[in-house]
Amino acid sequence: MATDNEIRAAIKQGNQVIANFQQHSSGRLNLWTSIVTPSRNYVITIEAQKRVGTGITTAIVGHLSFDRYDDDDYLQVLMSLQKEWDIPVLCHAFSRRRLANLRSQYGSRIIRDDIVRRYK
């Protein structure tokens, strides 16, 4: 649904947010993703787990509207960011079937469900 230019712009903006976030944070980085039905957005967030203490800091990388981006566009943006930064993706909103498909395609080191709510 989104044009190639829109997808490239979302990836570029996401990379800028992650670069800025990484510069001002410490700790291991993760992307996490959710699909927010009430606001009709796909949401991609970066988080850093502090090396000392238990705190986690986050920043919104992108809100991709359902009206402009379909599921394939969303995954293209998400996985481009993952590849650029070589960080795992925590998937908070996918069904077991969808999660299994993503893991078989990208691997369990990349597609994580460590803290995922299990949907049937």
Side-chain angles (χ1 to χ4, degrees), residues 28-105:
R28 186 180 51 154
L29 296 180
N30 293 307
L31 283 173
W32 58 270
T33 183
S34 57
I35 300 170
V36 183
T37 305
S39 66
R40 299 185 43 78
N41 280 298
Y42 300 103
V43 179
I44 302 170
T45 305
I46 186 78
E47 71 178 12
Q49 296 177 339
K50 292 184 178 179
R51 290 186 178 131
V52 178
T54 58
I56 295 177
T57 56
T58 63
I60 300 293
V61 173
H63 288 271
L64 307 178
S65 171
F66 288 0
D67 296 334
R68 298 294 307 152
Y69 295 85
D70 63 19
D71 196 45
D72 291 333
D73 298 335
Y74 166 60
L75 284 175
Q76 184 179 350
V77 172
L78 178 66
M79 297 315 295
S80 292
L81 296 171
Q82 184 285 322
K83 185 177 180 180
E84 176 72 23
W85 296 94
D86 191 28
I87 53 181
V89 178
L90 302 175
C91 300
H92 295 268
F94 295 121
S95 68
R96 286 183 183 186
R97 171 183 266 149
R98 180 68 174 177
L99 186 60
N101 289 341
L102 289 171
R103 286 184 129 180
S104 68
Q105 185 175 359

